Amino acid sequence: MPKSIIIAIVVLVAVVVIFYVVTMLLRKRTEDRIIALEERKEDLFDLPVQDEIDNVKKLHLVGQSQTLFREWNQKWIDLSSNSFADLENHIFEAEQLNDSFRFVRARASVDASEGQIELMEDDVQAIRDGIADLTKQETINSSKIQDSLDLYDALRAEITDNADKYGAAIGELETQLDNIETEFNQFVQLNSTGDPIEASEVLETAEEHTIALGAIAERIPSVVVELTETYPKQIDEIEQGYQEFLAQDFKLPESAQVEERLQEVRDNLKQSSVFIENFELDRADAQLEQIQLNLDSLYEIFENEYKARRDVAKNSGIIKDYIEHTRGNNKNLLLEIDHVSQAYVLTGNEMGTVRNYQEQLEQLDAGSKELLEVIQENAQPYSLLGKEVDTIISTLDDIEKNQLKISMDLQDLRKQEKVAQDAADTFDREIRIIKRFVDKRNLPGLPQAYLDKFFATSERVQSLYKELNKVKINIDGVNHLVDVTTEDMANLKDATDDLVDKARVAEDLMQYANRYKTTNEAIAKSIARAYQLFERDRNYAGSYDEISQALEAVEPGATERIANVYHTTKMIPDYR
């Protein structure tokens, strides 16, 4: 047999074997899925759904609960009667297709069956959950009713046993208790006839009403106490205090309106009682807050008048003596001003100010006499009289404070003169020290600008002496001269330092530069120019600039080094 035919036969056999193996694998895989579907179907069918439904039927549900139960029951009937049979047909069809090697259609049928059983499993779970909720709600209602009834019974007992604590609100409280009791009876009826869901809603409403009523009842007693005890007691206290005020011939401000405001408080109390009776507690609280504000303001009026009476009695007695004391101060101050004005120029109109105080004191004296007569006659409220007394005393306080300031300023004139005299002596001494210091430097002469500054400062010192030697000294002018001269002296000291330092360093630089004189023509010319500026022109700063620039050209840093040596070793001048 030819070799090619043998190869063809082998390939054909291999293909057949491979096809057979693949076919068996596909059939086996589909068969496994069908077996799994059968098991899921059996597990689903074996669930005790019917038993659970039968147990709920025994509850004899009605109303909303009965409606829900019928829906779940009908859904189970549809599933058990139709869906299971339909699923069985689909599974059988898939088995037939798989056995006849129609794998594509078999797989499609298995896919559809798996999707169907998933929906059925979800529906069965939903049915069981719904049935369980109905049973659970019945159990919850049974356990919850006792707690709710205990809460209600405790509230009714509290209100009934303490009816007097609730005042006008007791009638509405009892009505609300009866309404809640009706809701509990409705719950019992619904629950016992088999409608646990609607019964649960009624029970929850009854419990909410009980809690809300308890919260209201808790707020009422404190409000009733305020209405029946606290505020009536305060009204009695204010009325009693008002009568005592009248008996003692107190005068109250027109704005007090005690009787009108007390009547307003009484009317507000009646209105608050109506709010409480109608359970309008927020409006009652707002009304009571306004009542308290009115009562507090009346208490404050009486307290202010009592305090004002004590203050008037205390302060009115010192007014006369205080005026006389201030008059004495004014008289002494006028004498002091007259005495001081002989030696000093007074620029603050002290005499006019003190004479004006005298006029104020005369007016205060006249006003205080009238005020004391009014106080004696008890003709006005003490709060108003107290303000007038305080005004007089405050004015006297201001006058005395200003008198003391003027007196201290006058006494300070002598101190300021002494300070200025000491400053003038110091300036004069420093001028002489500066002159001696400059003379000892043996300079060829002094620049005109420096001489002008020196003589101007000396003249300023002499002007200060002239001002101090006048018969009547103007301290303001003297102090100004002291300030200006102080600044001039500082400038002169700085100018002296600069003059001497530049001259001395210029000399040192010229002496140092001589080492380059024979070898460097530029240095030689610079030394000559610097020397001319120093000796002939007395321009020590110019001489310093000339020689330092030339020296830096041949030996950078030499100027700074020589200058540092000078400043390190020089003595501090006596004028510093």
Side-chain angles (χ1 to χ4, degrees):
M1 181 179 296
K3 186 176 181 179
S4 58
I5 296 176
I6 295 173
I7 294 173
I9 294 172
V10 172
V11 170
L12 181 61
V13 171
V15 169
V16 171
V17 171
I18 291 172
F19 177 77
Y20 177 77
V21 171
V22 171
T23 301
M24 290 300 101
L25 288 174
L26 290 174
R27 184 174 182 278
K28 178 67 168 114
R29 182 177 298 176
T30 304
E31 184 178 359
D32 291 341
R33 291 177 65 188
I34 293 172
I35 292 172
L37 277 173
E38 286 283 357
E39 292 176 352
R40 289 175 67 182
K41 182 196 70 173
E42 293 298 329
D43 291 341
L44 188 63
F45 191 77
D46 290 340
L47 290 175
V49 179
Q50 189 60 51
D51 293 339
E52 293 170 355
I53 290 175
D54 292 340
N55 289 333
V56 174
K57 283 182 180 179
K58 298 176 183 178
L59 298 177
H60 304 293
L61 301 177
V62 296
Q64 184 180 353
S65 302
Q66 175 69 1
T67 301
L68 284 173
F69 173 73
R70 285 175 178 172
E71 291 177 358
W72 295 125
N73 187 43
Q74 186 59 48
K75 198 163 190 177
W76 171 246
I77 292 173
D78 292 341
L79 274 172
S80 59
S81 301
N82 302 320
S83 298
F84 276 102
D86 188 49
L87 176 63
E88 180 70 31
N89 291 333
H90 278 94
I91 294 173
F92 179 76
E93 180 185 3
E95 288 177 343
Q96 293 297 319
L97 291 171
N98 193 48
D99 290 341
S100 59
F101 299 99
R102 286 177 284 183
F103 301 125
V104 176
R105 291 182 61 190
R107 187 165 56 251
S109 180
V110 171
D111 290 341
S113 298
E114 288 177 342
Q116 183 180 6
I117 198 169
E118 287 178 0
L119 292 175
M120 291 174 64
E121 287 171 342
D122 292 339
D123 289 342
V124 169
Q125 187 61 46
I127 293 169
R128 298 189 72 194
D129 290 343
I131 296 298
D133 287 341
L134 290 173
T135 306
K136 181 179 178 181
Q137 190 61 58
E138 172 69 19
T139 304
I140 291 174
N141 288 349
S142 299
S143 61
K144 189 176 181 181
I145 180 60
Q146 192 57 50
D147 294 337
S148 299
L149 286 174
D150 290 343
L151 182 66
Y152 167 77
D153 290 340
L155 179 60
R156 176 175 281 280
E158 168 63 24
I159 293 174
T160 302
D161 295 343
N162 302 280
D164 55 328
K165 290 169 51 177
Y166 300 98
I170 187 63
E172 183 62 24
L173 285 171
E174 291 176 343
T175 299
Q176 295 298 326
L177 286 171
D178 292 340
N179 292 339
I180 294 172
E181 185 173 356
T182 300
E183 291 173 343
F184 277 116
N185 291 335
Q186 183 182 1
F187 160 77
V188 172
Q189 181 179 1
L190 289 170
N191 203 48
S192 61
T193 55
D195 194 356
I197 293 180
E198 188 173 354
S200 174
E201 294 174 357
V202 173
L203 178 61
E204 185 173 350
T205 300
E207 186 173 13
E208 290 175 355
H209 288 168
T210 303
I211 294 172
L213 186 63
I216 293 173
E218 187 176 357
R219 291 175 60 186
I220 291 174
S222 61
V223 179
V224 171
V225 170
E226 291 179 336
L227 283 173
T228 59
E229 298 179 19
T230 304
Y231 293 136
K233 181 180 179 181
Q234 292 184 17
I235 292 173
D236 291 341
E237 288 178 350
I238 292 174
E239 285 183 329
Q240 182 179 355
Y242 180 52
Q243 295 304 320
E244 291 177 0
F245 258 57
L246 297 178
Q248 297 177 28
D249 201 24
F250 269 90
K251 300 297 185 296
L252 292 175
E254 293 182 1
S255 60
Q257 298 180 332
V258 176
E259 294 180 356
E260 292 83 351
R261 294 171 75 172
L262 284 175
Q263 185 57 47
E264 180 184 351
V265 169
R266 294 189 188 94
D267 294 340
N268 288 341
L269 284 175
K270 292 179 181 178
Q271 183 61 55
S272 298
S273 182
V274 173
F275 289 151
I276 293 298
E277 186 175 355
N278 295 331
F279 277 18
E280 298 178 83
L281 299 186
D282 290 338
R283 296 184 67 183
D285 287 340
Q287 189 80 281
L288 292 175
E289 184 176 350
Q290 185 60 45
I291 290 172
Q292 188 62 62
L293 290 175
N294 275 333
L295 293 175
D296 289 344
S297 65
L298 288 172
Y299 276 119
E300 186 177 357
I301 289 172
F302 295 136
E303 290 173 359
N304 288 341
E305 290 302 320
Y306 272 121
K307 182 178 183 301
R309 183 181 187 179
R310 293 193 301 270
D311 293 342
V312 168
K314 173 185 175 183
N315 295 330
S316 62
I318 67 173
I319 290 178
K320 183 176 180 181
D321 292 339
Y322 201 173
I323 291 175
E324 291 303 318
H325 167 74
T326 311
R327 276 177 172 164
N329 287 346
N330 225 53
K331 181 178 179 181
N332 293 334
L333 189 54
L334 287 171
L335 294 174
E336 185 177 2
I337 292 172
D338 183 64
H339 176 70
V340 172
S341 65
Q342 296 176 19
Y344 299 96
V345 176
L346 301 181
T347 59
N349 192 28
E350 290 83 357
M351 184 66 75
T353 301
V354 175
R355 285 175 177 166
N356 184 55
Y357 291 158
Q358 188 64 39
E359 294 177 4
Q360 289 187 54
L361 288 170
E362 295 302 325
Q363 295 173 359
L364 288 173
D365 188 26
S368 65
K369 288 178 180 178
E370 295 179 2
L371 178 59
L372 291 173
E373 290 177 0
V374 173
I375 294 174
Q376 186 66 30
E377 295 171 359
N378 195 22
Q380 293 184 15
Y382 282 105
S383 56
L384 299 180
L385 296 173
K387 292 179 181 178
E388 296 184 30
V389 170
D390 291 343
T391 298
I392 292 175
I393 291 179
S394 177
T395 304
L396 290 171
D397 287 340
D398 290 339
I399 292 175
E400 185 177 39
K401 179 176 65 177
N402 292 328
Q403 287 173 337
L404 180 60
K405 183 180 184 304
I406 293 173
S407 178
M408 293 180 66
D409 290 344
L410 293 174
Q411 295 173 24
D412 192 52
L413 291 175
R414 294 182 178 86
K415 296 179 182 178
Q416 293 184 57
E417 180 189 0
K418 178 65 169 55
V419 171
Q421 185 66 54
D422 292 341
D425 293 341
T426 300
F427 296 149
D428 183 64
R429 183 173 63 256
E430 289 178 343
I431 286 286
R432 285 186 271 108
I433 291 173
I434 290 173
K435 185 177 183 305
R436 287 197 302 271
F437 178 78
V438 174
D439 288 344
K440 288 181 179 181
R441 303 284 78 77
N442 296 320
L443 297 173
L446 297 175
Q448 189 59 46
Y450 177 79
L451 290 174
D452 291 343
K453 186 181 292 291
F454 180 86
F455 289 122
T457 304
S458 297
E459 290 176 4
R460 191 86 73 183
V461 174
Q462 295 308 311
S463 297
L464 178 57
Y465 274 122
K466 288 179 182 179
E467 286 294 324
L468 288 169
N469 289 330
K470 286 182 178 181
V471 176
K472 295 181 68 172
I473 300 173
N474 186 335
I475 287 296
D476 291 341
V478 167
N479 288 336
H480 175 69
L481 274 175
V482 170
D483 293 339
V484 173
T485 307
T486 300
E487 185 177 354
D488 287 347
M489 283 300 302
N491 292 334
L492 179 60
K493 292 175 183 179
D494 292 341
T496 302
D497 289 342
D498 186 65
L499 172 71
V500 173
D501 292 346
K502 287 290 174 63
R504 179 61 185 276
V505 175
E507 287 181 315
D508 291 343
L509 291 175
M510 285 187 288
Q511 182 179 358
Y512 184 81
N514 281 330
R515 67 180 62 189
Y516 297 107
K517 184 176 181 180
T518 57
T519 60
N520 191 315
E521 184 179 354
I523 285 289
K525 291 180 179 180
S526 182
I527 291 174
R529 286 194 296 270
Y531 185 78
Q532 182 179 355
L533 288 169
F534 192 96
E535 290 291 336
R536 189 188 72 181
D537 299 339
R538 301 165 186 175
N539 186 354
Y540 306 116
S543 176
Y544 169 85
D545 292 339
E546 173 67 29
I547 191 61
S548 63
Q549 290 177 9
L551 188 59
E552 285 298 308
V554 297
E555 188 181 336
T559 299
E560 183 178 0
R561 187 177 68 254
I562 293 170
N564 287 340
V565 171
Y566 165 74
H567 286 292
T568 303
T569 58
K570 82 168 186 174
M571 300 294 293
I572 297 176
D574 294 339
Y575 55 79
R576 286 295 184 182

